[in-house]
Amino acid sequence: MNHHVPAQDAPPVIEVHDLSNRFGSKTVHENLDLCITKGSVIALVGGSGTGKTVLLNNLVLLRPPTTGSIRLLGQDTANLSYAERQALQLRLGLMFQMGALFTSLSVLENVCLPLIEHTDLPKPVREELAMLKIRLAGLPADAAHKRPNELSGGMIKRAALARALALDPEILFLDEPTSGLDPVGARAFDALVNELRDLLGITVFQITHDLDSILHGVDKVAFLARKRVLAFAPAHELMQSTEPELVEYFNTRPTQE
Amino acid sequence: MHRKPSTAAVTRSPAQLAWQAESGVLQAMGDWDARGGGELAERLEKWLAPIPAGQRVRLDSQRISRMDTAGALLLLQIRDLLQARGATLDLSSLLDDQHELIELVQRVGELTPPSEPPRLNPLQAVGKTTLDIVANAYDTLVFLGEVVTRTLPLILQPWRLRWREIINEIQAAGSRSVPIVALLTFLIGVVIAYQSGVTMQQYGATVFLPDMIGIITLREMAPLITAIVVAGRTGSSYAAAIGTMKVTQEVDALRSLAISPIEMLVIPRVLALAVALPLLTVMAMAMGLYGGVLIAYEIFGLDLNVAMNRLGALPHSHFWVGMVKAPVFALVIAMIGCHEGMKVRGSAADVGRSTTSSVVQAIFWVIVIDAIFAVMFSKLGL
């Protein structure tokens, strides 16, 4: 596989500065900074309750942070008009943890939906484009007319990935993409994500608990602890760290080498 | 062009083609992506029409501002269309990453979606519908049988009933329905008394107004209105609650813990409604009579003592005819609601369909059973 490491001078696509999230009196994030360059595959890692999903929701514009600034693809997200915000959202792809496929639609219709809503493409082109994404996500062609309740867990993840890719997003957000997959399926999914990054030049930002993904599937790991990104470095460097949270996280998990 | 892209915040220029006949160059311009390519894709044949057959066409891609897989797909379609006419398209001017996109699309290969599974022919459709109806009827019988066989032993050993759930359900289905049932039956009592009073007055027969209000309210109006309100309010909530539990696999979880979902979810609801609905009906009767007598007194000047005497002189059978129906309606409404909930399979849309269906079926059966009761009581001379 042509596994290219993103150039150091690649432009930043996600810039988070001084972000904080508070729920009532509970502070989840404080003074959180993060900068992700184009074309990298990043894992967001942290214990339960460290606010991984909250941060993801901030980044995909589903929930504004309490304070702080987020720049996506060079655009400040704080004071977007409705139209600007929608235009920006079209450049982001999000795959939900449970897939969140529309149960009343077939896989093909799920992938076609964003194309119907946001493009003028005629139906045959739309369907070919959707089939391209379905095949790229690793589903067989005959899955196209199946309903979500006829799919296995792994196929649901792949169909959700195909829908997230429908409009060729520039940043792809994945919420625990390999959870619930068997080890072989999980490694295949990691390889698929890396391949898509190489082929389409997308930036990939994923929440994961899968140590194999963290060690082998991503370029850098953002480790959330003490209400901020405690460390942001390739996994093998994090394993050398002496920070107590990192030591605990990486040493209490059995590695399958 | 039936639909515009939903946003136009970023300046965009749609994908375009320009044919330069003298140099044999096909110039591509604009955004060759999913959102910019719509117009071009729609009229591709027209754009390519001026290119003569057998021509060697060179693509000039310098003015393509952006390209994604949709653009690559379009370029490949253009190449195929030209090839079909014996012309060739030279794609060498594309940048490296654009070439990679083209290769990506080519590598995936066949992109036409597989044909949808064939529809049934009319005869098969009739057969399938019939089998569905039979299977559905069988399901209903199985459900009915299961509820009955599990309820009977519990009723003989009442200490094994889930009293806490039953009380909660009585609270939810009964006391919280009191305001709406009271208001509706009161208003209908008013309307019946007023409408019939006007006619009776012409014959000087307003003294019979209490008899009429009493018979209609006790025998028909109160039990029926209460059942219909409860079917809409409580039956639907049973279907939605149990249906959602099916979707989230909570029902399977109960089974895996060796707890019968029928005992846990269905029987408490059925028993609770069988208690709550008759109680609501008594209140509905009182409110209907109150509304009617109020109109007889206020509008038609009937003496209150006379009115109460006439009401008191009615045979008690009218009250019991109404009361016999209430628990039957309750069983029907609760069983239909729970059964529709248990029928949900997997999807969120199913929950909505089941909820609607539970209300429609419950009201349908309430009215049909009411009619059967009417015929039965008239044969019995009650």
Side-chain angles (χ1 to χ4, degrees), chain B residues 9-294:
Chain B
V10 191
T11 45
R12 305 187 58 87
S13 53
Q16 282 180 315
L17 285 172
W19 168 237
Q20 288 152 354
E22 62 280 6
S23 54
V25 168
L26 186 64
Q27 195 176 36
M29 296 160 284
D31 297 339
W32 282 65
D33 60 8
R35 296 175 62 210
E39 209 168 329
L40 182 73
E42 199 108 37
R43 305 186 202 150
L44 205 51
E45 302 269 3
K46 210 193 92 199
W47 286 97
L48 297 176
I51 301 176
Q55 174 85 35
R56 284 177 54 90
V57 181
R58 202 161 54 77
L59 183 80
D60 173 7
S61 62
Q62 286 195 338
R63 288 176 62 196
I64 291 184
S65 45
R66 66 186 96 186
M67 188 166 134
D68 68 3
T69 49
L73 194 67
L74 279 178
L75 276 181
L76 285 172
Q77 281 192 343
I78 291 170
R79 198 186 62 180
D80 291 347
L81 281 171
L82 288 178
Q83 260 168 6
R85 282 196 267 156
T88 55
L89 181 66
D90 174 8
L91 292 175
S92 57
S93 75
L94 289 175
L95 304 172
D96 279 352
D97 52 347
Q98 292 171 340
H99 263 301
E100 276 180 32
L101 277 175
I102 298 261
E103 276 165 29
L104 170 76
V105 175
Q106 279 180 318
R107 208 186 57 191
V108 173
E110 182 54 47
L111 288 179
T112 30
S115 54
E116 286 187 48
R119 298 198 181 215
L120 299 174
N121 68 40
L123 199 60
Q124 283 173 314
V126 170
K128 189 174 180 304
T129 312
T130 313
L131 287 180
D132 281 351
I133 291 172
V134 172
N136 201 359
Y138 176 77
D139 266 4
T140 309
L141 282 179
V142 168
F143 179 77
L144 194 69
E146 206 172 340
V147 173
V148 170
T149 51
R150 287 192 188 274
T151 309
L152 287 181
L154 285 179
I155 290 199
L156 295 176
Q157 301 161 289
W159 58 92
R160 281 183 52 207
L161 279 171
R162 289 163 204 274
W163 287 106
R164 180 196 285 273
E165 272 97 354
I166 295 179
I167 302 286
N168 281 342
E169 292 295 340
I170 290 178
Q171 160 97 355
S175 38
R176 293 203 196 125
S177 305
V178 165
I180 182 157
V181 171
L183 180 67
L184 287 182
T185 44
F186 171 76
L187 289 177
I188 294 179
V190 165
V191 170
I192 291 176
Y194 185 76
Q195 297 292 354
S196 43
V198 172
T199 312
M200 289 171 122
Q201 207 170 24
Q202 292 171 0
Y203 296 96
T206 43
V207 72
F208 293 115
L209 204 49
D211 296 57
M212 163 161 174
I213 296 163
I215 293 170
I216 290 187
T217 303
L218 296 178
R219 291 184 73 110
E220 294 295 337
M221 189 273 274
L224 209 54
I225 295 293
T226 313
I228 288 172
V229 169
V230 166
R233 195 184 167 282
T234 308
S236 61
S237 86
Y238 288 175
I242 296 179
T244 309
M245 291 179 78
K246 284 279 283 198
V247 172
T248 55
Q249 291 191 307
E250 285 172 65
V251 173
D252 293 339
L254 282 177
R255 285 209 184 93
S256 78
L257 295 169
I259 300 169
S260 154
I262 300 271
E263 275 180 37
M264 183 82 168
L265 303 174
V266 177
I267 292 176
R269 287 182 163 90
V270 172
L271 292 182
L273 207 58
V275 174
L277 191 61
L279 293 177
L280 279 173
T281 305
V282 173
M283 184 211 56
M285 288 170 171
M287 290 306 291
L289 292 178
Y290 171 59
V293 170
L294 194 69

Side-chain angles (χ1 to χ4, degrees), chain A:
Chain A
M1 196 177 70
N2 148 32
H3 187 90
H4 76 84
V5 177
Q8 284 305 311
D9 55 354
V13 288
I14 303 177
E15 294 158 275
V16 180
H17 183 60
D18 207 13
L19 171 136
S20 59
N21 277 301
R22 272 184 280 277
F23 298 96
S25 60
K26 189 175 183 301
T27 304
V28 182
H29 300 127
E30 196 146 44
N31 305 329
L32 184 146
D33 292 296
L34 183 65
C35 181
I36 291 171
T37 52
K38 187 172 174 4
S40 47
V41 177
I42 305 297
L44 180 66
V45 172
S48 307
T50 50
K52 298 183 293 291
T53 306
V54 176
L55 182 58
L56 185 76
N57 284 344
N58 290 158
L59 292 179
V60 295
L61 311 179
L62 287 180
R63 143 182 212 106
T66 314
T67 58
S69 82
I70 298 176
R71 290 177 73 81
L72 290 176
L73 302 162
Q75 248 182 309
D76 190 359
T77 59
N79 296 308
L80 292 176
S81 71
Y82 179 74
E84 286 168 335
R85 186 187 147 89
Q86 257 202 331
L88 186 56
Q89 264 173 335
L90 292 182
R91 299 165 71 189
L92 312 175
L94 172 58
M95 179 190 138
F96 290 86
Q97 190 176 352
M98 300 302 183
L101 296 173
F102 303 113
T103 47
S104 52
L105 303 178
S106 70
V107 171
L108 184 65
E109 290 165 329
N110 261 287
V111 183
C112 275
L113 184 69
L115 296 169
I116 295 173
E117 290 297 315
H118 296 295
T119 75
D120 281 337
L121 295 171
K123 188 163 181 255
V125 178
R126 220 158 56 201
E127 291 193 339
E128 284 192 9
L129 201 54
M131 281 308 291
L132 175 71
K133 303 298 157 65
I134 289 172
R135 299 296 304 277
L136 275 182
L139 284 174
D142 60 11
H145 293 299
K146 290 200 172 135
R147 295 287 166 108
N149 57 3
E150 299 169 296
L151 299 179
S152 69
M155 288 170 93
I156 286 177
K157 298 253 177 195
R158 286 167 190 276
L161 179 65
R163 189 179 68 186
L165 288 173
L167 287 167
D168 277 305
E170 289 162 63
I171 314 176
L172 181 61
F173 293 92
L174 310 171
D175 192 353
E176 302 206 15
T178 55
S179 73
L181 297 186
D182 64 281
V184 178
R187 296 295 72 72
F189 202 96
D190 282 342
L192 175 67
V193 166
N194 271 294
E195 201 184 347
L196 290 174
R197 185 269 306 267
D198 295 343
L199 291 170
L200 304 174
I202 348 177
T203 309
V204 181
F205 183 89
Q206 56 180 326
I207 293 180
T208 184
H209 286 299
D210 183 337
L211 202 59
D212 278 323
S213 298
I214 296 168
L215 291 177
H216 308 296
V218 303
D219 302 326
K220 276 169 114 181
V221 176
F223 189 87
L224 269 184
R226 297 184 217 156
K227 298 173 184 172
R228 59 194 171 88
V229 178
L230 186 64
F232 183 48
H236 59 87
E237 284 178 33
L238 293 190
M239 309 232 350
Q240 313 301 321
S241 165
T242 52
E243 297 275 6
E245 287 92 344
L246 282 161
V247 173
E248 190 188 21
Y249 190 87
F250 285 104
N251 290 354
T252 50
R253 284 159 174 254
T255 52
Q256 303 158 2
E257 289 292 330

